[in-house]
Amino acid sequence: NFFKCDNEICVRFDQLCNLVDDCGDGSDEKECRNHFQCKTSRFYIPLVQKCDGKNDCLDHSDECNDVCGKEIISGVWLKLLAGSIGGSSVLLNTGSLVRSFLSIRDKKKAALCNRTLSILINFGDLLTGLYLLLISVQDSFMIGSDYCKKQSQWLSSDHCAFLGILNCFGSTMSLFSMTFLSIFRVLNIRGGSLRRDTKKWKVWFVTAIIIVSSIAIPCVPIANYLEDVFVNGLTYKDISFFMGSGSKGDHLNVLGAYFGKITNPAIAWRTIRNLLNLMFSDNYGKIRGKRIHFYGNDGVCLFKFFVKSDD
């Protein structure tokens, strides 16, 4: 009724494959197929927790390995494609902007509204192209295969937030400008030709609306006072309770185990931070979790237009 370990120790058969090194040399778990062994700590976790999208090993080896390791942009060809499209967009739209600015003084050219909105479209496309170029460079030369281990740092970084804002700013500016340009052309076509007597103040008013809206939409989600609406989670450098990024539900589970069940699911992030600091002695200092901001939904830092019910 006993299993003989490689080190001559005997353990009960019910201790085999129980995710615990009962022998002391790992021989009681060596031939088992129901677990994954963390690379650094050598702890065992259930096999179903490997590649499940959550870090269960302190060294992230259950998620960062040859089977399920990930990068910001998967595949060399996709990186090259993103960089090529981004670089081409920056060059072509820069040239188009230069020509547009040179011709805007010529009153014999197309109507002022048409020229102004076309400039905004070019500028928005330039920013979107710049985003593609920067994200491909970031992935190819700065993070690369280390992204899996640095994922939480990247998703909570100001650089990721900047790229998200840059892309959203450019895409919304292009979208709004094309929309207003289409409306302008429909309203000003008389007798098969385009009228050219649009008031200047109307042009500048529409331009101001587009610019202000294009800036406000990407910036609102990162405002501190709206963190309870847009923040996805908190990540910590030295607290193993929350490996990777901890959602509000993860925090409530840990805090509930310490303080007792917390019944308010709408508890503020500020309150969560305060409760976490009460859990630790002064020797730890003040516990500061870094926010997984709105653009930290995934590695490419995009604005999430379609929100799921569990977000």
Side-chain angles (χ1 to χ4, degrees):
N1 296 327
F2 289 91
F3 171 80
K4 186 176 181 180
C5 306
D6 291 347
N7 57 7
E8 305 298 327
I9 294 177
C10 293
V11 297
R12 300 188 310 273
F13 274 107
D14 61 2
Q15 292 179 291
L16 297 180
C17 302
N18 65 347
L19 307 183
V20 179
D21 183 7
D22 298 292
C23 289
D25 61 0
S27 55
D28 58 314
E29 303 292 325
K30 183 170 59 176
E31 302 298 330
C32 304
R33 298 184 179 183
N34 66 334
H35 66 252
F36 173 83
Q37 188 175 29
C38 300
K39 188 173 182 180
T40 303
S41 65
R42 313 304 294 174
F43 289 154
Y44 297 98
I45 62 172
L47 188 62
V48 294
Q49 291 181 335
K50 179 184 178 182
C51 301
D52 65 347
K54 295 182 179 180
N55 293 309
D56 298 290
C57 295
L58 289 174
D59 59 1
H60 311 298
S61 56
D62 57 316
E63 300 298 324
C64 304
N65 49 64
D66 295 337
V67 177
C68 53
K70 49 189 171 182
E71 300 177 355
I72 295 178
I73 302 176
S74 301
V76 176
W77 290 108
L78 196 57
K79 298 180 199 290
L80 290 174
L81 182 63
S84 301
I85 294 175
S88 300
S89 177
V90 170
L91 291 175
L92 294 174
N93 282 287
T94 299
S96 181
L97 281 172
V98 171
R99 289 194 301 271
S100 298
F101 277 117
L102 292 176
S103 66
I104 200 169
R105 299 178 183 178
D106 188 352
K107 296 181 180 180
K108 296 181 180 180
K109 297 290 183 182
L112 176 64
C113 185
N114 187 72
R115 296 198 304 270
T116 304
L117 293 176
S118 296
I119 288 174
L120 293 179
I121 293 171
N122 288 141
F123 185 66
D125 290 345
L126 186 150
L127 294 180
T128 303
L130 182 60
Y131 157 80
L132 283 173
L133 182 61
L134 291 176
I135 197 71
S136 61
V137 170
Q138 183 76 35
D139 188 29
S140 300
F141 301 104
M142 298 182 182
I143 296 182
S145 58
D146 290 334
Y147 170 68
C148 187
K149 295 181 179 180
K150 298 179 179 179
Q151 183 177 11
S152 296
Q153 300 175 32
W154 169 247
L155 296 180
S156 61
S157 67
D158 294 335
H159 195 171
C160 178
F162 168 75
L163 290 176
I165 292 173
L166 181 69
N167 177 70
C168 185
F169 179 34
S171 58
T172 51
M173 176 171 283
S174 296
L175 177 62
F176 291 157
S177 300
M178 286 187 287
T179 301
F180 276 106
L181 182 60
S182 299
I183 295 173
F184 163 75
R185 288 176 172 175
V186 169
L187 295 179
N188 286 273
I189 291 179
R190 298 284 180 82
S193 61
L194 184 65
R195 294 175 56 194
R196 303 186 181 185
D197 57 350
T198 304
K199 301 293 184 180
K200 284 187 177 181
W201 71 267
K202 293 182 180 180
V203 175
W204 303 131
F205 180 71
V206 169
T207 301
I209 290 177
I210 293 173
I211 294 175
V212 171
S213 300
S214 299
I215 294 174
I217 290 175
C219 290
V220 165
I222 62 170
N224 289 332
Y225 61 90
L226 292 175
E227 68 173 5
D228 290 316
V229 179
F230 293 108
V231 167
N232 292 295
L234 297 176
T235 182
Y236 305 88
K237 186 176 180 181
D238 300 316
I239 302 180
S240 59
F241 290 150
F242 307 106
M243 289 181 288
S245 59
S247 65
K248 187 168 286 189
D250 295 331
H251 283 80
L252 292 181
N253 289 334
V254 172
L255 293 173
Y258 186 85
F259 292 102
K261 187 175 181 180
I262 299 176
T263 58
N264 181 16
I267 187 172
W269 281 114
R270 177 182 295 182
T271 304
I272 289 177
R273 293 191 190 95
N274 293 335
L275 290 174
L276 277 175
N277 280 293
L278 292 175
M279 287 178 58
F280 294 88
S281 66
D282 294 337
N283 294 331
Y284 283 88
K286 192 170 184 179
I287 305 300
R288 296 183 180 274
K290 199 167 184 183
R291 298 186 301 176
I292 304 293
H293 47 70
F294 179 75
Y295 295 99
N297 290 293
D298 50 47
V300 291
C301 310
L302 290 175
F303 188 101
K304 196 167 187 178
F305 288 97
F306 302 101
V307 180
K308 299 178 181 178
S309 58
D310 58 345
D311 288 334

